[in-house]
Amino acid sequence: MHLILGGALFMPYWLVGTVVVGLLTGEGSMFGGSLTVQFGAYAVGLPLAALSSLFPLTRPMSVAAVRALCGVAGDRLAEEPARGRSAKARTSGWFTLHLGIGALVSGATLALPPFAVTVMALPFSQALQKSELTSFWGLDRPWLQWAALPAGLLMLLALAAVAAGAGAFLARQAPRLLGPSPADRLAAAERRAAELAVRNRLARELHDSVGHALSAVTLQASAARRVLDADVEFVREALAAIEETTRRTVGELDSVLGLLREGEDDGELPGPRLDALDALVRGAGRHVKLTVTGALDRVPDAVSREAYRIVQEGLTNAARYAGGERVTARLALTDDELEIIMENPLPARAPVVRPDGGRGLRGVAERARLLGGTSEAGRVAGVWRLVVSLPLGTAGEPKGAAGVERENARGERGTSGRARSTVDARTKAPGGGPSAGKGGSR
């Protein structure tokens, strides 16, 4: 089938070649010309086919045909249009080879079977036996006429063998001529890396936003259940915090899921920034104290978004493992750096920490690294401490911002500044909140 397709595609070039050769030789018949005209047209058509193979869609269409008709694995072929001299030359070679062999095999398939059948019918047809052609070839002897029967069969078998061999030859040559070049492999690797970066970004966003919301809601609901009859005012505050947290998280979830819907947006994921820290702390409960030093409106958007997620992850860890103890978060802004320090007492029974540090801490480290900053986390003097330093850069751009903007497109600017704010609950949530479990990690 693949060879027949090549022969069919070669027909326009052969017709043009027939016209050209007919004009040169003076033979006006297109289909009834001599063998010289036919093969001359074939010789003229091949360069025309090679020239037209420079069309950009030649390789994608050829790859589709090879995959469908030759059974070549798709990963061995390059589906993109050929770029570069080498790739175009290999594509041209394949196209010319496909059409050239296909034309010869297709022509033989049309001409040889009728001839073979005629030869096989010679012992049984007196009209053929008495024809001038039989006398010309010396086939008027009876034993030679009966030999025409196996000769015709051999012709058909030879045609089938040639067609099978030509098809196998083309299938072997397809990966070499239509396969990816080093540049194609590099481009494919870059695309896979970009796709993996997007997946990692979405995974971090979902982990930080949804994971924090679930932890905060669980903590508030547990604390409210324990004091349901003793402190109605606290229950109201807990329910309000749960409502605010879930509403905010639904909005964040919609923005993340929007990237998964093809064509819905251009890949931007603004996300919350540091101006939303007050709402984040209120949703975390009374036991969280946040202190901010410096005007946060000076923080570039890329740093602001990542800093918000880092604080969010720190609060999520504290909700899981601090057992309702006081959690402190300090943000100190200098001329060229934003420092985030989060501390909470370790529970009486320390949770088991995975060797890799858990997804949350890995996400914090990745966010800091993309901004050119650093992060440290561990036990210090009986408390769990997370310290992150994020450089602000110059001219309003963070150091390493190119890496961040490749993963998180720029969102709308609009952070609001404040000189110093403190969100402090002077009383720990009654009941202490849920204690850390036996397993898990930060």
Side-chain angles (χ1 to χ4, degrees), residues 310 313-314 317 340-344 346 353-358 360-365 368 374-380 383-389 442:
I310 290 172
E313 176 59 28
N317 285 336
I340 303 172
I341 302 176
M342 302 190 68
E343 296 180 344
N344 61 265
L346 291 171
V353 179
R354 290 193 298 244
D356 60 1
L361 291 181
R362 286 205 306 271
V364 169
T374 61
S375 68
E376 297 180 1
R379 297 174 175 85
V380 178
V383 300
W384 179 271
R385 177 177 295 173
L386 172 65
V387 180
V388 180
S389 298
R442 293 179 178 266

Side-chain angles (χ1 to χ4, degrees), residues 39-179:
F39 283 104
Y42 178 83
V44 172
L46 285 179
L48 295 177
L51 184 62
S52 65
S53 65
L54 299 178
F55 185 66
L57 292 180
T58 299
R59 188 164 74 170
M61 292 188 298
S62 298
V63 166
V66 169
R67 184 183 294 111
L69 301 177
C70 293
V72 179
D75 57 353
R76 302 179 62 190
L77 305 171
E79 299 184 0
E80 298 79 12
R83 297 182 178 87
R85 182 177 300 176
S86 175
K88 292 180 179 179
R90 290 189 295 115
T91 301
S92 178
W94 163 262
F95 192 71
T96 306
L97 187 66
H98 177 206
L99 269 62
I101 295 179
L104 292 177
V105 174
S106 298
T109 303
L110 293 175
L112 189 58
F115 178 75
V117 172
T118 301
V119 171
M120 293 169 62
L122 182 60
F124 310 101
S125 174
Q126 294 183 355
L128 291 175
Q129 295 171 4
K130 296 178 181 180
S131 65
E132 294 181 359
L133 185 61
T134 302
S135 301
F136 176 80
W137 288 102
L139 298 177
D140 49 356
R141 300 176 184 178
W143 66 273
L144 287 177
Q145 294 174 359
W146 284 104
L149 181 60
L153 290 175
L154 288 176
M155 292 179 191
L156 295 178
L157 291 176
L159 177 61
V162 169
F169 173 75
L170 287 177
R172 289 194 303 269
Q173 297 302 314
R176 187 171 68 88
L177 297 176
L178 295 178

Side-chain angles (χ1 to χ4, degrees), residues 68-436:
L69 301 177
C70 293
V72 179
D75 57 353
R76 302 179 62 190
L77 305 171
E79 299 184 0
E80 298 79 12
R83 297 182 178 87
R85 182 177 300 176
S86 175
K88 292 180 179 179
R90 290 189 295 115
T91 301
S92 178
W94 163 262
F95 192 71
T96 306
L97 187 66
H98 177 206
L99 269 62
I101 295 179
L104 292 177
V105 174
S106 298
T109 303
L110 293 175
L112 189 58
F115 178 75
V117 172
T118 301
V119 171
M120 293 169 62
L122 182 60
F124 310 101
S125 174
Q126 294 183 355
L128 291 175
Q129 295 171 4
K130 296 178 181 180
S131 65
E132 294 181 359
L133 185 61
T134 302
S135 301
F136 176 80
W137 288 102
L139 298 177
D140 49 356
R141 300 176 184 178
W143 66 273
L144 287 177
Q145 294 174 359
W146 284 104
L149 181 60
L153 290 175
L154 288 176
M155 292 179 191
L156 295 178
L157 291 176
L159 177 61
V162 169
F169 173 75
L170 287 177
R172 289 194 303 269
Q173 297 302 314
R176 187 171 68 88
L177 297 176
L178 295 178
S181 64
D184 294 327
R185 293 189 179 94
L186 179 60
E190 291 177 348
R191 286 194 301 271
R192 286 194 296 270
E195 293 171 358
L196 182 60
V198 172
R199 290 176 56 187
N200 288 339
R201 174 165 61 106
L202 294 177
R204 282 202 308 268
E205 295 295 328
L206 289 174
H207 173 273
D208 292 348
S209 61
V210 178
H212 169 78
L214 293 177
S215 298
V217 167
T218 300
L219 177 65
Q220 295 282 8
S222 176
R225 177 179 59 81
R226 296 183 181 185
V227 298
L228 181 61
D229 299 325
D231 192 345
V232 178
E233 182 62 26
F234 174 77
V235 174
R236 289 195 183 96
E237 293 180 5
L239 292 176
I242 291 174
E243 179 184 5
E244 182 177 1
T245 300
T246 54
R247 182 183 295 111
R248 182 183 68 250
T249 304
V250 167
E252 295 179 13
L253 185 61
D254 286 342
S255 65
V256 174
L257 294 180
L259 294 181
L260 300 179
R261 302 187 183 98
E262 183 178 359
E264 180 169 308
D265 54 36
D266 57 0
E268 292 189 356
L269 187 61
R273 294 182 288 271
L274 290 177
D275 57 351
L277 277 182
D278 286 340
L280 179 66
V281 171
R282 286 196 302 269
R286 291 181 174 182
H287 62 290
V288 178
K289 177 181 178 180
L290 171 67
T291 303
V292 177
T293 303
L296 295 184
D297 57 350
R298 293 197 303 109
V299 179
D301 285 351
V303 178
S304 185
R305 288 193 298 271
E306 302 304 317
Y308 177 92
R309 291 302 189 193
I310 290 172
V311 174
Q312 188 180 52
E313 176 59 28
L315 294 178
T316 301
N317 285 336
R320 291 175 179 171
Y321 306 116
E325 297 293 335
R326 175 64 61 88
V327 179
T328 60
R330 299 191 299 273
L331 275 71
L333 184 65
T334 62
D335 291 339
D336 57 358
E337 186 179 71
L338 173 64
E339 186 178 52
I340 303 172
I341 302 176
M342 302 190 68
E343 296 180 344
N344 61 265
L346 291 171
R349 184 174 182 178
V352 177
V353 179
R354 290 193 298 244
D356 60 1
R359 293 188 180 90
L361 291 181
R362 286 205 306 271
V364 169
E366 289 174 0
R367 294 179 187 276
R369 184 171 62 253
L370 288 172
L371 289 167
T374 61
S375 68
E376 297 180 1
R379 297 174 175 85
V380 178
V383 300
W384 179 271
R385 177 177 295 173
L386 172 65
V387 180
V388 180
S389 298
L390 304 177
L392 302 182
T394 58
E397 288 294 333
K399 298 177 182 178
V404 177
E405 297 309 326
R406 280 196 299 267
E407 290 216 357
N408 297 331
R410 290 185 179 277
E412 299 176 356
R413 296 183 179 271
T415 52
S416 61
R418 53 193 162 191
R420 181 182 180 91
S421 63
T422 301
V423 180
D424 186 9
R426 301 185 182 279
T427 307
K428 186 181 70 174
S435 60

